[in-house]
Every structure is written in structure tokens, then in C-alpha cells.
Amino acid sequence: MNVWKTQNDRVLPVNQRQRVFPNGTLLIAGMQPGVDDGMYSCEVSPGQDMTTVSRSFRVIIRSRSPCVFFRKVVRMKT
């Protein structure tokens, strides 16, 4: 059994953009800075009398920088 959690111990999925597949894969569609970034953890419990394993990782979402276009000015001597 796989259980995905956020840094606030909220069990995922918590909205329609998040999906947990039967094989334990977590998919977050359209990730948003300030909403989906942070710590995530996954607990895997293989079965009765077996050791539960947990792994955590941080998701960092960088926003795109606005494109800045520079116009090249060429001066010709006359």
C-alpha cells in the first residue's frame, strides 16, 4: 500500500489535478508555484509483518522569467 502526503500531513490526492495510480505513481498536472511546491513523502507498506519504508523530497517550481527582447541599434558612419 502506498500513501502520499504533503508537508502538512495531508493525504493526497486533495484536488482534481492530483492523481495516485495503482502502482503508487503520483501525478500532479499543471503544477503551480506557491501551490504545489514543498515537501512530499511517500510511505510504502508491502504487507503485514513487513517493514514500512518512507521517502521524502522537496518539489521546487521555478516560475518562468518574462522574455525581454533587445533591439540592436547599428550606427553607420557616413
Side-chain angles (χ1 to χ4, degrees):
M1 178 177 155
N2 297 321
V3 177
W4 282 95
K5 294 182 181 179
T6 65
Q7 60 191 0
N8 299 328
D9 281 335
R10 293 173 55 193
V11 177
L12 300 176
V14 295
N15 62 45
Q16 295 175 349
R17 294 182 304 105
Q18 300 169 348
R19 182 173 176 195
V20 179
F21 290 90
N23 68 357
T25 300
L26 171 65
L27 172 68
I28 303 174
M31 295 187 82
Q32 302 170 5
V35 176
D36 298 309
D37 46 2
M39 291 296 296
Y40 288 81
S41 65
C42 181
E43 289 183 6
V44 178
S45 180
Q48 189 176 7
D49 299 329
M50 299 185 90
T51 304
T52 298
V53 177
S54 177
R55 294 291 182 260
S56 298
F57 59 94
R58 178 177 303 277
V59 173
I60 301 170
I61 304 169
R62 300 187 189 273
S63 59
R64 291 184 178 179
S65 299
C67 293
V68 178
F69 296 97
F70 294 96
R71 202 163 89 188
K72 186 175 181 181
V73 177
V74 178
R75 295 179 190 236
M76 299 180 70
K77 292 185 180 181
T78 55

